Amino acid sequence: MNLTSLSDRLKPYWESLSTSYWFIPVCMMVASGIICGACLVIVQRANLPDTVLHFVPLVTQTGALQLLATLATAIITATSIAFSMTLVALTLASSQFGPRLIRTFMNDRGTQVVLGTLVSTFLFCMISLHHISAIQENQDAISLLCAVSVVLGVVDVVVIIYFIHHVSTSIQADHVIRRCFEELCRDIAALLPKPESPASLRAIAKALITPAEELTVIRAPREGYIQNINYDVLTTLSTDIVAGVEVLGRSGDHVFPDAEVLIVHSHCPLPDNVQKQFEQYIIIGNSRTPIQDPEFAVGQLVEIALRALSPGINDPFTAITCLDRLTSACILMSRREFPHECVINENTDKWLKRRTFTFEGVVDKSFDQIRQAGKKHVAIGLHILLCLDVLNGQTKGRYHHILLGHAIATKDLLKSEPIVKKDDAAIDIAFNRLKDPSGGQ
């Protein structure tokens, strides 16, 4: 297995680790134990610089016991409060923004670091209390333990204040929408490759692909969502018997047990060990991830808008904010090159046919469901027409036919509901501006 294949297989696991509440706290707890061990064995107070000695006063064993016990009690109490606040935020996010938005909250580095700092301080105090009775003669170690614990206590006070402010802002709709949009912006470069990368791949027409003599169907070993497809390996296969590969799914698709996921075109039957290798090139997991899936973050913003337009919440202002961010995301994606459906590696002559993401698909994902859910909100329909007009101007009319189709659907849906003349006139003005950009100007 080459490094590229290993990296692609590790990406879903890293995604799972980064959205967990235990990975960073565990790393910080290990660091806390190392620091405690250094204070007990390696570092000596007498060897510290004179400027530091003023901040590390000599402490008796009794005083150290009282300090560490008091700090441990206070920190574990603060930790329980922090966990309670985190659960409240997750519950609110699940009910108001949708259960799939919990991933965004759990991916918050600020919350992970705060929880890690608190539990690391508690662990430091517990280890120190466990050893302090055995180091009566080493007052340097006792003093160092107390000095470090005081520093950690001050840091804990700061992070608790930060955490209270952070939680209060993280559950605001505008903040959640902005985080989803920023996550999408960070991933655009990886999700949509640059036109010149990789240089060895060249787009070809579907008609130029000719099936080989042997067709081998690779089936999914389990059900789940496709999280990652190793396209690099599929286009750089070293074996001469393979002419090309047809990928039937794409990241984000759900596959059923024994579903067809690959069709390998070869000049002779594939050995069993080679077929097993092809199964490893598609990673299937329990849930969708943003890896290779440009529509993942778009779907999160759409879900927030749909929740906002539900009768129970009825918050069209949040939906309008989502439409603004979705329009910005479509503009940014329009400046990138989407993967080609059929490519060939000029170095190996291996061709690849796949289902790809398109700009039209992203636009459909962004506006279809919001338009349908907001048909009784004239303000939503008008803002969709405005967003489509802005998008048409930013893309210089390259996708005018796609955007016009969405505008016609929005107009027809709005007028299928009873509306007053003023709103009817506003809809016609907004629609005509997109239908005839030159006349609208």
Side-chain angles (χ1 to χ4, degrees), residues 129-432:
L129 286 170
H130 182 262
H131 288 83
I132 203 167
S133 60
I135 54 175
Q136 299 180 9
E137 304 300 329
N138 192 352
Q139 197 170 9
D140 280 352
I142 295 177
S143 301
L144 275 174
L145 290 174
C146 292
V148 174
S149 64
V150 169
V151 172
L152 290 175
V154 173
V155 173
D156 289 338
V157 172
V158 174
V159 299
I160 289 172
I161 296 173
Y162 161 78
F163 183 69
I164 294 173
H165 169 76
H166 182 68
V167 170
S168 63
T169 57
S170 64
I171 59 177
Q172 297 177 14
D174 289 344
H175 180 82
V176 176
I177 294 170
R178 179 178 60 82
R179 285 190 56 191
C180 292
F181 175 73
E182 289 176 349
E183 182 179 349
L184 173 61
C185 291
R186 288 194 301 267
D187 294 339
I188 282 180
L191 296 173
L192 301 178
K194 296 180 181 179
E196 67 276 7
S197 177
S200 59
L201 294 182
R202 177 172 57 87
I204 58 175
K206 188 188 301 185
L208 297 178
I209 293 180
T210 55
E213 295 83 0
E214 294 287 339
L215 300 182
T216 304
V217 176
I218 307 298
R219 300 184 181 274
R222 50 164 295 189
E223 66 86 27
Y225 291 90
I226 298 178
Q227 295 181 337
N228 196 22
I229 301 175
N230 196 334
Y231 292 114
D232 292 335
V233 173
L234 292 177
T235 55
T236 57
L237 295 171
S238 58
T239 175
D240 294 330
I241 64 175
V242 175
V245 180
E246 185 176 353
V247 184
L248 303 180
R250 65 181 187 183
S251 296
D253 287 351
H254 182 271
V255 294
F256 297 95
D258 294 327
E260 297 180 358
V261 291
L262 292 177
I263 297 178
V264 182
H265 295 248
S266 57
H267 304 296
C268 61
L270 286 182
D272 292 339
N273 62 331
V274 177
Q275 295 186 34
K276 290 294 182 181
Q277 290 180 1
F278 276 100
E279 292 181 2
Q280 299 176 1
Y281 299 150
I282 294 185
I283 309 301
I284 299 176
N286 295 324
S287 59
R288 292 183 66 175
T289 67
I291 304 173
Q292 292 187 344
D293 190 355
E295 295 181 358
F296 180 83
V298 172
Q300 287 187 320
L301 290 171
V302 171
E303 183 172 1
I304 296 175
L306 295 179
R307 289 269 176 165
L309 293 174
S310 63
I313 298 178
N314 194 23
D315 181 14
F317 296 102
T318 297
I320 289 175
T321 303
C322 291
L323 285 171
D324 291 336
R325 296 291 188 177
L326 287 167
T327 304
S328 298
C330 289
I331 292 173
L332 294 175
M333 288 188 180
S334 69
R335 299 171 181 172
R336 309 289 299 190
E337 181 177 349
F338 283 77
H340 297 284
E341 181 180 2
C342 300
V343 294
I344 188 170
N345 190 316
E346 295 181 335
N347 297 330
T348 62
D349 289 333
K350 301 290 190 301
W351 56 261
L352 177 69
K353 181 181 178 182
R354 57 190 172 181
R355 289 181 57 234
T356 61
F357 296 93
T358 62
F359 181 78
E360 181 178 2
V362 172
V363 173
D364 291 344
K365 183 77 172 181
S366 300
F367 295 105
D368 278 347
Q369 295 186 70
I370 299 178
R371 178 183 67 247
Q372 296 158 5
K375 67 177 182 179
K376 295 185 178 179
H377 294 269
V378 177
I380 297 297
L382 288 173
H383 201 75
I384 290 177
L385 292 174
L386 172 63
C387 291
L388 293 173
D389 183 44
V390 171
L391 187 54
N392 183 63
Q394 289 287 338
T395 57
K396 304 185 186 307
R398 285 183 297 155
Y399 305 102
H400 181 261
H401 64 289
I402 298 174
L403 302 177
L404 182 60
H406 280 272
I408 294 173
T410 303
K411 174 187 174 184
D412 293 343
L413 197 61
L414 288 174
K415 293 199 172 186
S416 66
E417 299 289 331
I419 54 176
V420 299
K421 292 182 179 180
K422 181 177 182 298
D423 293 338
D424 185 72
I427 293 171
D428 289 335
I429 293 174
F431 174 76
N432 291 330

